[in-house]
Amino acid sequence: MIYGIGTDICDVRRIRASLDRHGERFARKVLSDAELATWRARSERWPERGVRYLATRFSAKEAFSKAIGLGMRMPMSWRLCEVGKLASGQPVIVLHGGLKDWFEARGLSAHISVTDESDYAASFCVVETRQVPP
């Protein structure tokens, strides 16, 4: 049964401007440790690829926060929500700490899709709950 649906579109230019203004501090605020390592590696090779990576993660976390109905308030936080990927490349939501506990206590599962194209990154998230038999 669907618990919630969230979508987000993010202007990549806005993310680039935040990086220009705040530097790595902005990336550290939004990304988990694992995501931060990937962002650094991508940014080193090709800075624009790093910006797009950050924009898709920002968008995915916004969509997820909307799907769970919390927005950006506890236990939801940028760094406790991670966008990983399966060996196939499919993105997955990986949760940590209190957010993971909150999510699992409700028997929820998430499905996430992310994309980016020139100036925009977009994400769509569906959160499901196990239907309790009557």
Side-chain angles (χ1 to χ4, degrees), residues 10-69:
C10 174
D11 191 327
V12 175
R13 296 166 294 192
R14 193 176 112 220
I15 297 299
R16 188 179 303 108
S18 292
L19 278 170
D20 290 345
R21 211 171 22 260
H22 305 289
E24 188 172 306
R25 186 174 59 149
F26 176 68
R28 283 194 316 263
K29 177 183 176 183
V30 173
L31 302 174
S32 70
D33 291 340
E35 290 169 324
L36 192 59
T38 301
W39 173 77
R40 285 178 179 142
R42 289 184 181 193
S43 296
E44 210 171 276
R45 285 192 312 256
W46 183 26
E48 185 60 21
R49 194 165 180 226
V51 173
R52 289 178 183 287
Y53 178 84
L54 180 55
T56 57
R57 272 45 194 177
F58 186 96
S59 175
K61 293 175 187 199
E62 283 282 334
F64 175 78
S65 73
K66 293 170 185 176
I68 61 173

Side-chain angles (χ1 to χ4, degrees), residues 53-95:
Y53 178 84
L54 180 55
T56 57
R57 272 45 194 177
F58 186 96
S59 175
K61 293 175 187 199
E62 283 282 334
F64 175 78
S65 73
K66 293 170 185 176
I68 61 173
L70 293 177
M72 282 298 168
R73 61 185 166 81
M74 294 305 283
M76 177 64 198
S77 76
W78 294 108
R79 292 182 47 80
L80 294 179
C81 179
E82 181 178 318
V83 182
K85 67 177 182 174
L86 300 178
S88 65
Q90 177 185 348
V92 294
I93 295 290
V94 179
L95 302 176

